[in-house]
Amino acid sequence: MPEMSREKVAAVEGSALGQIHDIDIDDVLDYVHKDLKRLPGYIELYQRYLRQRWDVYEIDFAQDARDWTDRMTQDEREAFTAISSGFHHGERQVEVELPVFMLGGSEESRIYMSSQIEDEARHTVFFDRFYREVVGLPGDSVQDVLDASFQHVSETFVGPFGLLAYQADELRADPEDLAARVRYGTTYFLWIEGVLALSVMKITLSYCRNAGLLPGYYTGFTATCRDEARHVQFGMRFLREAVQEDPRLLREIHETLRTILVINGATSRRLALEALGWTQDEVRRLMIRQLTMKLVDVGIDLPPDVQQMISNIEPELAGG
Ligand SMILES: [Fe+2]
Ligand SMILES: [Fe+2]
């Protein structure tokens, strides 16, 4: 990947919410990977969070609501809700599953993790507002709106998030168990955030940008993607340090990836991506690229059987 120019890095890093609309999602995705070889420390990521956090109540969804009813087709609306419902529920789930991960690890990693929990809670509010104000789902409480969008959630959500719920339970028994932390981290930071979430971001945000639609969603979700850059960088640093501390933990990463990829292959329903301008093959390539780029950058090697499984990835979209 060519180096990002200094101007682009400064634009992604320093933009306030009001300027984020001018940023291209590809630049934010490059930004996720820009630091992976060096990997910033936990306190540096926490400082970045303090500068980059945004106010989710500043987003204006008025134009989005008009675009939704007047300018989008039924197929586009359905594809969009099918993809974003996995995010709506994913954000809420990671917000409640992260505290158990925060309990283990160094003081620095706990301080950083408090910021990620706040990010995920804010992302939950972002989707709550989007579903209420744009999609028009009913409900008095956050849970009501989640319940109303659940019918759109596809089975591709249930697989990885079910696995994560299981791994969070396992961690609850002993939050300092490093092998359990690595399994949880592989599912959450590497797969859900690093592959699924970034792929959804690329697909929905390029659709909005190319069609000139949903400016509130574009702003908030691009800011969310910038938050994900910190989450993924934290996660990759955590996995790399764990393997450096105990090289046998590499086996935990491989085993977890095998489980994830077997679940991925069991998909029976295809996502309707075409309405948003994507083919199944393009999404497969996007996911493979998101996964392999991260592993290569942090120096995590894969055995041939896992590589083979990766080349057969089925398009799957959710996030957190
Ligand atoms: Fe995240
Ligand atoms: Fe999130």
Side-chain angles (χ1 to χ4, degrees):
M1 189 183 69
E3 284 287 300
M4 257 183 109
S5 74
R6 213 178 285 179
E7 295 75 34
K8 280 192 172 164
V9 172
V12 174
E13 277 197 330
S15 287
L17 195 61
Q19 305 153 343
I20 269 190
H21 195 256
D22 300 332
I23 292 177
D24 194 315
I25 177 61
D26 284 332
D27 290 338
V28 189
L29 290 174
D30 285 349
Y31 177 72
V32 175
H33 298 96
K34 172 188 88 73
D35 273 339
L36 280 182
K37 290 203 183 79
R38 173 180 77 91
L39 281 181
Y42 301 143
I43 294 296
E44 190 181 336
L45 288 170
Y46 179 67
Q47 289 167 336
R48 217 181 264 181
Y49 155 81
L50 291 175
R51 290 194 301 270
Q52 294 179 344
R53 63 190 295 204
W54 45 284
D55 184 343
V56 61
Y57 294 101
E58 259 178 40
I59 307 269
D60 181 357
F61 282 118
Q63 181 61 45
D64 297 53
R66 288 191 291 272
D67 290 349
W68 190 262
T69 44
D70 302 344
R71 295 183 57 207
M72 286 171 70
T73 65
Q74 183 64 14
D75 280 354
E76 289 173 316
R77 282 192 290 262
E78 272 169 23
F80 206 92
T81 21
I83 294 175
S84 52
S85 298
F87 238 99
H88 185 203
H89 284 260
E91 296 290 8
R92 176 248 147 221
Q93 187 177 339
V94 295
E95 166 211 328
V96 300
E97 307 276 32
L98 266 179
V100 67
F101 186 86
M102 180 183 169
L103 295 175
S106 67
E107 239 11 90
E108 285 80 0
S109 95
R110 288 174 179 156
I111 288 168
Y112 161 79
M113 197 40 75
S114 73
S115 73
Q116 183 162 337
I117 293 171
E118 193 277 324
D119 276 336
E120 306 298 17
R122 183 161 17 87
H123 300 166
T124 304
V125 176
F126 171 75
F127 277 100
D128 179 67
R129 286 198 56 204
F130 179 76
Y131 274 92
R132 271 173 212 273
E133 297 173 41
V134 181
V135 183
L137 292 190
D140 291 329
S141 67
V142 173
Q143 186 61 56
D144 286 346
V145 179
L146 281 162
D147 290 345
S149 87
F150 192 71
Q151 55 166 316
H152 303 289
V153 169
S154 67
E155 62 184 336
T156 60
F157 170 83
V158 179
F161 281 91
L163 180 63
L164 184 69
Y166 175 85
Q167 289 168 328
D169 269 349
E170 195 180 41
L171 204 49
R172 219 162 265 130
D174 179 5
E176 296 289 350
D177 178 346
L178 190 53
R181 282 168 63 75
V182 166
R183 291 192 287 272
Y184 175 106
T186 304
T187 302
Y188 180 27
F189 307 124
L190 178 60
W191 182 252
I192 291 176
E193 294 190 308
V195 179
L196 302 184
L198 295 182
S199 302
V200 175
M201 285 165 165
K202 167 78 180 155
I203 291 166
T204 60
L205 291 172
S206 12
Y207 163 76
C208 294
R209 194 175 182 88
N210 295 339
L213 291 167
L214 307 178
Y217 180 92
Y218 190 89
T219 298
F221 210 39
T222 304
T224 300
C225 188
R226 184 171 68 177
D227 296 339
E228 285 314 314
R230 295 191 305 275
H231 303 178
V232 170
Q233 287 170 7
F234 167 87
M236 293 305 101
R237 186 175 186 106
F238 161 71
L239 289 177
R240 191 175 69 178
E241 283 182 353
V243 170
Q244 278 166 356
E245 192 179 315
D246 181 354
R248 286 172 306 178
L249 291 170
L250 192 57
R251 278 213 311 265
E252 301 289 343
I253 298 178
H254 293 163
E255 262 310 299
T256 308
L257 277 173
R258 284 189 187 100
T259 305
I260 289 169
L261 292 164
V262 166
I263 296 173
N264 165 270
T267 312
S268 67
R269 209 165 15 149
R270 283 182 136 210
L271 286 164
L273 300 156
E274 285 76 8
L276 301 184
W278 287 77
T279 66
Q280 305 283 324
D281 244 2
E282 284 168 339
V283 176
R284 176 177 296 115
R285 281 201 297 275
L286 175 64
M287 290 173 70
I288 293 173
R289 187 173 135 79
Q290 289 298 331
L291 180 60
T292 43
M293 230 175 1
K294 283 166 194 88
L295 294 171
V296 168
D297 278 357
V298 297
I300 293 175
D301 293 328
L302 293 178
D305 71 302
V306 178
Q307 274 171 17
Q308 181 59 39
M309 290 172 94
I310 288 174
S311 62
N312 294 324
I313 278 179
E314 283 298 325
E316 166 183 338
L317 298 165

